[in-house]
Structure formats: structure tokens, C-alpha cells
Amino acid sequence: MANLDLSNQRILVTGGAGFLGQQVISQLCDRGADPAKITVPRSADCDLRVLENCHQAVKNQDVIVHLAAHVGGIGLNQLKPAELFYDNLMMGTQLIHAAYQAGVGKFVCVGTICAYPKFTPVPFKEEDIWNGYPEETNAPYGVAKKALLVQLQSYRQQYGFNGIYLLPVNLYGPADNFKPESSHVIPALIRKVHEAQIAGDKQIPVWGDGSPSREFIYVDDAARGIAIATTSYDGADPVNLGTNYEITIKDLITLICKLMDYQGEIVWQTDKPNGQPRRCLDTQKAQEYFGFTAQVDIERGLQNTIDWYRTHGE
């Protein structure tokens, strides 16, 4: 399959000012995209939940990379399930439809690992995505994003619309969201340890019992995978982006404490939810379809993230 020459493509990157988006733009430019031809709509003046704004955003664009999402950790998913369902569904479905109507050449949709069923065999294979309902705490978000896969596949079938769907595992890295009310597990734990060190606290509370496992992908790796797929993948199948490395929350917090030189005690809050029991992706398709493998291991990625937070705070 011939690679898409990005040098003459007008590219819209929704969420392009965000944590992942900035890295995706950098990776697209590394692959020949012209920065002057990349557009980043800002939510303040382009609310993609409004159809007319979607039509305006996609006008005269050749490639859409849809990263924009209303997203957070377990806490936010429990607090605002309706908002997470509505916002993500409306942004995505209207943008896809507007892009199809405008004759956009390629649509790259970034989905979520939350779309997988609660008890998916590990490692998660793309074929298993419909074999059950997602884990309850993040199901509204996961179902909304999974609906976009159905939309892209049906638009491909009926209209020949070239839309691809990628499933990155949990992201982390420098410039992540460290806000307590909406952060994911790695930035939340780094912040907890940092604040405990400053306060001189001898113990830190951590949600759940430490038994669930997770897989994490460093933001630069995820962005590189998205950029490679933008140039080199045109298939209907959803594709996982991950590292194929699984770590329990207990081992994760132990590693973070070691890297941050914190000797305090971990107090497990077993009245708080664990979330999905295990998460680890089968990453063979990304390798097979467009030659992507992750490069940054968890220890190096965590150290980079810790160093950034200690320097920049939020």
C-alpha cells in the first residue's frame, strides 16, 4: 500500500492543543506534514457538539484526525456518565458525517480501551470488542466511542468513506493531566506521592486493592502510532495501539515510590472501585498492518513523567 504523502494535505486535528494532540502534530510534521496546513479547532470557539461547527471545521480539509474527547479517570466517569456519553457521541458522529459530506479523503478516529468488554480475554484482541458490555464505571464513555467504529465501518460500506479506528491503551507522559478530580491513574499517583513528600506524610491512600492490571503507552509512542496509521493504514478493522506489557496497580505504585524515593506506606482504599480487572492489548495487528511497535518502557516513561511534574507542577 502506498503511503499517503502528507506534504500537500490539509489536516484538521481535533484536540490538537491537548496532551496527545501536540505530540500527534509533531509526529505528523516529522512525516512530512506542513505545519501551515494543520488546523486545530479550539473548544472555546468551535464546540463540536454543534453540527454547524463540524461543517465549518471540516471545510476544505483533506484529512481529519479526531482526538478531541471529554475524558477522565474513574472518579469523573462516576460523577458525569451522561455528559461523557453525550459529548463524545455527538462530537464524533457529527464530525464523521460532516467529513463524509464534505468529501474529506481520510478520517482517523482515536477510540478508547474502555470500549472493550469488562471480562475480555487477555491480551485483548480487536475481534473481541463486541463480546460483552464494558466495565460499568466507564461504559457510557466506552459505548459512545465504540459507536463511532460502527459509523465508520457503515460509511465505508455504503459510501466508500475512508475512515480508520485506533484503540490506544491508557496514555501517560510529560504534560499529562494531573488535576485530582479528573486525572488518570499514573498522574494521580505521581501527584499523591509528590504531595506526601512535601507534607512529610508517612502514608498515602490509593483506590481499590491493587490487584487490577493495566497497560500503559507513553504519549510519544501513541502519537507515533497514530501518525504512522494516518499515512499507512486504510483498513476497516479497528487496531490496538499498545505495548503488550501488563502491570498491576500494586506494582505500579511500588515502582513510582521507588523512582520518587518515597518510603511511606500504601493504604489501600478497598471501599473504592477497582475498575476493569485486567487490561492488556494484543498488539500484533498494528505491527502487521502498518509496522508499529512501542519503544519506551514503563520505567523510562515514568521517570520522564515524574521529572516533568517535579519541574512544572500542573
Side-chain angles (χ1 to χ4, degrees):
M1 175 173 47
N3 279 1
L4 178 65
D5 179 1
L6 295 180
S7 62
N8 57 1
Q9 300 290 305
R10 292 158 300 183
I11 305 172
L12 179 81
V13 183
T14 72
F19 169 53
L20 175 60
Q22 292 180 50
Q23 296 299 328
V24 168
I25 288 171
S26 174
Q27 293 284 346
L28 289 170
C29 292
D30 285 350
R31 281 161 183 76
D34 180 349
K37 292 181 179 175
I38 296 177
T39 303
V40 178
R42 301 305 296 265
S43 56
D45 47 34
C46 184
D47 183 344
L48 295 174
R49 296 171 300 179
V50 178
L51 181 58
E52 180 53 38
N53 291 344
C54 292
H55 284 300
Q56 287 296 326
V58 302
K59 197 178 286 183
N60 300 320
Q61 299 294 335
D62 301 306
V63 177
I64 312 289
V65 181
H66 180 45
L67 307 173
H70 186 177
V71 64
I74 289 178
L76 186 71
N77 278 275
Q78 288 187 313
L79 192 65
K80 298 186 173 180
E83 284 182 32
L84 291 173
F85 179 81
Y86 180 84
D87 291 354
N88 289 291
L89 183 66
M90 297 311 291
M91 276 194 290
T93 197
Q94 294 188 143
L95 196 68
I96 290 168
H97 190 68
Y100 151 67
Q101 288 185 315
V104 168
K106 184 162 189 178
F107 195 103
V108 180
C109 186
V110 176
T112 173
I113 194 70
C114 300
Y116 275 101
K118 181 175 182 176
F119 297 107
T120 309
V122 177
F124 294 7
K125 288 184 164 62
E126 292 89 345
E127 295 79 11
D128 289 330
I129 197 166
W130 295 105
N131 293 345
Y133 194 69
E135 200 278 321
E136 295 82 1
T137 54
N138 53 40
Y141 171 67
V143 170
K145 296 290 271 187
K146 190 153 65 165
L148 306 181
L149 169 60
V150 179
Q151 185 178 8
L152 288 172
Q153 289 177 330
S154 57
Y155 277 46
R156 178 184 292 272
Q157 183 182 337
Q158 186 172 344
Y159 306 134
F161 183 62
N162 183 16
I164 66 169
Y165 191 90
L166 306 173
L167 288 152
V169 77
N170 300 48
L171 301 172
Y172 74 103
D176 202 342
N177 169 23
F178 286 85
K179 294 174 184 170
E181 68 276 9
S182 58
S183 60
H184 285 97
V185 61
I186 284 179
L189 293 177
I190 290 172
R191 180 174 178 140
K192 273 188 180 179
V193 172
H194 181 71
E195 290 181 345
Q197 287 176 311
I198 289 172
D201 293 340
K202 299 295 185 227
Q203 53 180 224
I204 55 169
V206 179
W207 278 27
D209 62 14
S211 66
S213 73
R214 292 292 179 264
E215 175 182 341
F216 300 95
I217 187 168
Y218 193 60
V219 64
D220 296 34
D221 273 336
R224 188 169 50 83
I226 291 164
I228 293 170
T230 301
T231 63
S232 309
Y233 179 59
D234 293 311
D237 292 345
V239 181
N240 290 332
L241 294 179
T243 60
N244 199 225
Y245 174 78
E246 187 178 9
I247 186 170
T248 65
I249 300 301
K250 184 178 181 183
D251 288 345
L252 176 67
I253 185 61
T254 301
L255 179 55
I256 288 171
C257 289
K258 184 187 101 173
L259 293 172
M260 297 182 75
D261 196 26
Y262 176 70
Q263 271 95 38
E265 180 194 357
I266 308 303
V267 178
W268 295 103
Q269 296 181 297
T270 53
D271 59 321
K272 301 288 190 184
N274 270 329
Q276 195 161 20
R278 291 180 71 188
R279 276 189 190 164
C280 185
L281 297 183
D282 183 302
T283 55
Q284 286 179 286
K285 279 190 175 172
Q287 168 69 44
E288 180 188 331
Y289 289 174
F290 46 91
F292 170 75
T293 51
Q295 295 174 344
V296 180
D297 66 64
I298 187 79
E299 189 158 337
R300 181 155 63 97
L302 283 174
Q303 190 65 65
N304 291 348
T305 309
I306 290 162
D307 291 347
W308 183 90
Y309 183 66
R310 281 178 161 162
T311 305
H312 298 86
E314 287 180 45

